[in-house]
Amino acid sequence: MAHSGGAANATNHQPQNFSQKARRRPRRYINQRGRLTFHLAQFLGPAQFDNLRLVAARSLGKFASMKTITVTCFDDFIKETTSPRVGGRIFRGVSDLDAHKLVPPIGRKPRWSGLPLNKLASSERGMLKRFKQESALYASSQLSDWEWMVLARHHELPGRLLDWSKNPLIALYFAVQGGNEKAGAVYAEKFTRTLQIAKETDPFRVTKVSKLNPVHSHPQISAQALVLTIHPDPRMVYQSKSLLCLRVSGKLKRDFKQALRRLEIHPATIYPGLDGVAENIIG
């Protein structure tokens, strides 16, 4: 009996699995986020843990306290975007508030958005490498990785960069496109982290959402006062407490387009070149 009892005691003192410990002492393990993350990753495996983290982050993002203001007229928009509290922000316009979230292009495509992050990054690197190889006749081979990524973004290759503008009227131009049945929006955000590209030479090693000012290698960059943000996990909807959303009713889109045209904000100025001229003539 003594031997049996000793065996039982020894068994009781063996390390319990993670789920048993978590049930007994949840507060301790929730507070120790590093150990919790480590154990979850071991228990689930890299792919499942990555998907769990993505789902949790997307769910929590819905509760971020973004402020939304509905603008009622063009003068109202000017007042909001020139107020002191908006100073230092950059702007992004979307034509459909409900459908177009703040997600980089590669994260919007089902082909990539469901992949684990490491596989998505590998696929993105592969596309960028192929873009470099097949663009040899059209671009300098001396471009940096950042310049290649910006160039690829300009030519609609899906990636982790998101377009913004220093000019709220440029953002408004994009917000009032599309049908009048859909409300558009202009997002305004003050990003606190600006990348020093000379130091951060590899775009895929950036670990925090950051702002960068691209080299003016194309007329559209200057015309649109372009600023970019890079998103380490491009599957994620960008959210923050400082994010401001200016909602534009679909019924106001036509009036806003006319007001922008009077201020010389139209296709010919947004898209310098013959394509912009033609689009502007078509109206």
Side-chain angles (χ1 to χ4, degrees), residues 79-238:
K79 179 181 178 181
E80 290 292 345
T81 54
T82 55
S83 67
R85 64 189 174 89
V86 180
R89 294 177 185 250
I90 56 176
F91 306 89
R92 176 173 172 81
V94 296
S95 60
D96 187 339
L97 174 59
D98 294 327
H100 300 160
K101 304 302 181 184
L102 294 177
V103 179
I106 199 168
R108 302 175 211 152
K109 310 283 187 182
R111 178 178 173 184
W112 295 287
S113 62
L115 292 176
L117 185 57
N118 62 332
K119 291 186 177 181
L120 182 148
S122 178
S123 180
E124 187 181 357
R125 281 182 183 272
M127 288 191 293
L128 193 58
K129 181 180 179 180
R130 183 176 173 185
F131 183 78
K132 292 178 185 179
Q133 293 170 340
E134 298 183 17
S135 301
L137 293 176
Y138 313 107
S140 169
S141 60
Q142 303 302 314
L143 296 179
S144 68
D145 287 344
W146 283 107
E147 289 169 323
W148 275 114
M149 185 174 274
V150 171
L151 185 63
R153 171 72 194 99
H154 171 70
H155 290 285
E156 305 299 330
L157 189 72
R160 61 188 56 210
L161 298 179
L162 198 60
D163 299 352
W164 300 72
S165 177
K166 297 176 184 176
N167 187 340
L169 296 180
I170 300 294
L172 182 61
Y173 170 85
F174 291 103
V176 298
Q177 302 306 304
N180 294 341
E181 68 280 1
K182 301 291 186 180
V186 170
Y187 292 100
E189 177 66 304
K190 190 172 185 177
F191 291 92
T192 57
R193 178 178 166 83
T194 302
L195 280 180
Q196 301 298 323
I197 295 177
K199 297 179 180 179
E200 302 273 1
T201 56
D202 184 354
F204 292 95
R205 294 180 67 87
V206 175
T207 58
K208 295 182 179 179
V209 176
S210 307
K211 178 178 70 174
L212 62 129
N213 296 299
V215 176
H216 287 201
S217 56
H218 192 279
Q220 282 189 25
I221 294 177
S222 299
Q224 297 178 15
L226 188 67
V227 183
L228 296 166
T229 50
I230 185 165
H231 299 252
D233 189 343
R235 304 167 301 175
M236 297 294 303
V237 177
Y238 176 78

Side-chain angles (χ1 to χ4, degrees), residues 52-74:
L52 177 64
R53 184 183 63 83
L54 177 63
V55 170
R58 281 175 172 169
S59 299
L60 290 172
K62 295 178 182 178
F63 300 100
S65 54
M66 174 182 69
K67 183 175 183 179
T68 300
I69 297 173
T70 298
V71 295
T72 57
C73 62
F74 190 77

